Each structure stands twice: as C-alpha cells, then as structure tokens.
Amino acid sequence: MVKRGKVWLAVAGLIIDENGKWLVVKKKYSGLKGMWSLPAGFVNPGESVDEAVVREVKEETGLHTTIKGIIGVRSGVIQHDISDNMMIFLLENKETSSIVIEEKELWDVGWKSPQELLKDDKTSVMVHEMIKRLSSQNRLNMIEGINPGDQFAYTHYNLFL
C-alpha cells in the first residue's frame, strides 16, 4: 500500500455514452460505499493525473478511454489535517469493449441517465452537483506535445487550457 502522506491527489473520470448515459460505479468501501459515483482513485508516484484517470477507469471497469478534457476539481481538507484533492476528467470510451467489474472494489457498474441518477438517493453529492452544472462548453482541453524546457526534465507534460 502506498503511503499518501497528508496531501492526497486523486482523479475521477466521467464517460458519457452516445445515449447521454453516464458510467457510474458503486464502491464497496470508503465514504462512498454503496453510492453511485464516478470511477476514481489515487495518482501513483511517477504517474501524471491524465495517466492515472485512464488507468483507474480501466482497472475498475475494463474500459479503454481517452481524455477529452478536465471538467472539475474537488478540493477539501479532512479533519483540519489532510489535503484531499481530485481532478475530474471527461473521457471518451475508445472501443466497444464490454464492462468488466473490479469485484474487490466495486459492487456494481452501470450506465445511468442523469435523470435516473438525480432520482436515486444512492447517487453521490458530487455526481448530483455535476449533473446540475455540466454543459458541453464546461471543460479544459488537453494540449499534448509541449516541452516547457529541458531544464525541468519532465518525462510527461500536458497542459489543460
């Protein structure tokens, strides 16, 4: 298990299918236990946030995705001590692969319409708020292939603007 220290960085991915349904998961643990939420997890050492969200979605659901942009940031402090931060990405499903549930972590995975999620009392607060506010214009797009200078020694660098 990775020691996270007192500054946490997590990622979550929103995938919307051609019918407008959102991919959501029900976790078996944490404060979201039994709640519909987005596939999510922590960024590992040596990994960028964009690599982490693609990995987490694949681990939890089996889906291969690409990044369309960043649609939100969640930032909070737990018990006046731990900085808990999450970047929320809009993703696109790359292929028609079927869902494979990560059974150690999840009870269920499903495609739900925003209306279904709003009516379900087992939908996370963050998903409720995203449905109320999200529009297609509301995202930062990924710009790849930029080198800010060799002096920084980045092995992976993307801007979201």
Side-chain angles (χ1 to χ4, degrees):
M1 178 154 177
V2 176
K3 289 197 173 206
R4 304 248 170 248
K6 293 191 180 216
V7 178
W8 296 354
L9 181 57
V11 291
L14 171 61
I15 305 158
I16 302 173
D17 74 6
E18 63 278 354
N19 301 312
K21 292 188 174 187
W22 292 25
L23 183 71
V24 287
V25 301
K26 272 193 181 178
K27 299 236 188 244
K28 288 184 173 181
Y29 62 93
S30 82
L32 291 174
K33 183 177 181 177
M35 303 288 288
W36 289 116
S37 62
L38 300 178
F42 288 106
V43 178
N44 290 330
E47 184 176 53
S48 65
V49 290
D50 46 298
E51 290 170 328
V53 73
V54 169
R55 174 187 53 76
E56 281 291 344
V57 169
K58 185 173 185 324
E59 285 176 5
E60 291 187 5
T61 69
L63 296 181
H64 299 271
T65 58
T66 55
I67 293 173
K68 293 178 79 173
I70 294 174
I71 55 175
V73 174
R74 185 207 69 210
S75 179
V77 177
I78 300 169
Q79 298 180 354
H80 305 284
D81 189 39
I82 297 171
S83 174
D84 183 20
N85 306 283
M86 175 180 278
M87 298 184 76
I88 307 160
F89 289 83
L90 181 62
L91 304 174
E92 185 170 34
N93 193 12
K94 285 201 314 194
E95 53 197 48
T96 55
S97 56
S98 56
I99 291 173
V100 179
I101 298 174
E102 210 304 327
E103 293 182 7
K104 284 185 279 179
E105 292 187 25
L106 305 177
W107 292 113
D108 200 4
V109 175
W111 294 98
K112 305 276 183 187
S113 72
Q115 296 77 20
E116 287 176 278
L117 291 166
L118 285 173
K119 289 178 190 170
D120 191 334
D121 65 352
K122 293 291 185 188
T123 299
S124 74
V125 169
M126 187 174 86
V127 169
H128 271 275
E129 294 300 323
M130 288 176 67
I131 292 168
K132 292 178 199 172
R133 291 173 171 75
L134 194 60
S135 73
S136 60
Q137 312 306 319
N138 194 15
R139 76 165 184 245
L140 301 175
N141 296 306
M142 184 165 76
I143 304 164
E144 299 177 85
I146 295 170
N147 181 352
D150 293 338
Q151 71 274 22
F152 295 110
Y154 280 105
T155 54
H156 186 91
Y157 185 90
N158 293 317
L159 278 177
F160 293 85
L161 300 171

